Amino acid sequence: MLLDYVTVEFPRISRYGEGGTPDMLVDPAVLASLQPGEGLTVKQGRVYKLESFAFVSNAGLGRTRTGYRLQEFLTTAGLPSAQTLASLIFFALLFGIIAALHRWAGPRDRTDPTYDVLYWQLALVIVLLSAPLTWVMNTIWLLTLTPLLVRELSSPQPPARRIALTLVGLGLAIAALPDHLAFPRLFPPGTVGETAWQKYVIAQLLVALGLAGRLLSGAQRERHTTEVASRH
């Protein structure tokens, strides 16, 4: 089974994600024999629901309209593993932007004890955004920012840093808003499209932007202090 996964299933997953061509799908007759009714399945002679709760995977840039168009372009260009390549492109783009900002900002504020936490949290958000498949449930990792955000906003901060922290807070608030899965009565049938869960991508982008701004403000502060000290 391991050999079959490496030689057959892994190339399929790399190219199609959780999908595949019609010949890769399970025989409809087999599926029909395992489904006693809509939304039900049979396991070892017992009937179970196909799922006990629902969730979606659209929490990364690869599952947005832009991501799908990029994958279509890569496939049309004859490149293999379009989903993986799209993920690498998004990662390179985000990493390049952050690296350029980091270089422009100069040295970090070594007196700031929260710098390392925010730095690696930003790296985590980039991974979530650029991964080939990011489940909505993975955005719970952003919760670690909440106590730090409350502490920072409750103390005096320079205007630029406060704006950056506000963006982080706004992103967390958007991620926490109810969606059609948690509160289906708020979203009547037919009104929910793919944009219903794109709020998670928007939330992560705001958090990333806010974290980058917060880190840049710390680096610029140290650069300004260094320049003042050199003059004296």
Side-chain angles (χ1 to χ4, degrees):
M1 292 177 65
L2 181 60
L3 180 61
D4 179 73
Y5 181 82
V6 173
T7 58
V8 179
E9 300 301 336
F10 187 77
R12 177 189 62 80
I13 295 170
S14 178
R15 184 172 183 179
Y16 300 103
E18 63 269 39
T21 59
D23 61 290
M24 296 177 179
L25 301 178
V26 177
D27 187 349
V30 175
L31 288 178
S33 66
L34 296 175
Q35 295 179 348
E38 185 178 357
L40 301 174
T41 185
V42 177
K43 300 293 183 182
Q44 296 181 347
R46 300 184 62 181
V47 179
Y48 296 92
K49 289 184 177 180
L50 286 177
E51 58 182 18
S52 57
F53 62 94
F55 54 90
V56 292
S57 58
N58 296 35
L61 290 172
R63 299 308 178 101
T64 60
R65 290 183 179 180
T66 301
Y68 286 129
R69 288 175 181 174
L70 176 59
Q71 292 177 46
E72 290 175 0
F73 172 79
L74 294 172
T75 302
T76 304
L79 298 173
S81 306
Q83 188 176 16
T84 303
L85 287 176
S87 175
L88 291 174
I89 290 173
F90 283 127
F91 179 81
L93 180 62
L94 293 170
F95 181 83
I97 292 173
I98 297 302
L101 291 174
H102 183 74
R103 182 177 180 83
W104 171 76
R108 70 182 179 92
D109 184 1
R110 300 183 183 278
T111 64
D112 185 358
T114 63
Y115 185 94
D116 287 337
V117 176
L118 296 174
Y119 185 90
W120 289 109
Q121 189 71 43
L122 178 58
L124 173 61
V125 175
I126 290 177
V127 171
L128 289 175
L129 283 169
S130 59
L133 190 152
T134 296
W135 299 106
V136 165
M137 65 181 70
N138 293 145
T139 56
I140 197 172
W141 294 341
L142 300 179
L143 279 177
T144 54
L145 281 171
T146 304
L148 185 62
L149 182 66
V150 171
R151 193 201 71 174
E152 294 251 303
L153 287 175
S154 62
S155 60
Q157 300 288 346
R161 182 176 293 186
R162 185 164 290 275
I163 292 174
L165 292 171
T166 301
L167 288 176
V168 175
L170 180 61
L172 294 177
I174 291 176
L177 288 174
D179 57 22
H180 66 294
L181 297 176
F183 296 92
R185 293 185 179 181
L186 295 178
F187 303 90
T191 63
V192 179
E194 67 178 36
T195 55
W197 47 74
Q198 293 302 310
K199 73 184 186 74
Y200 296 101
V201 176
I202 296 173
Q204 292 173 89
L205 288 172
L206 286 173
V207 170
L209 183 61
L211 287 174
R214 168 62 177 81
L215 293 171
L216 286 174
S217 66
Q220 289 177 333
R221 182 181 178 185
E222 177 170 308
R223 182 171 63 180
H224 176 72
T225 303
T226 303
E227 290 175 352
V228 172
S230 63
R231 293 173 185 173
H232 294 282

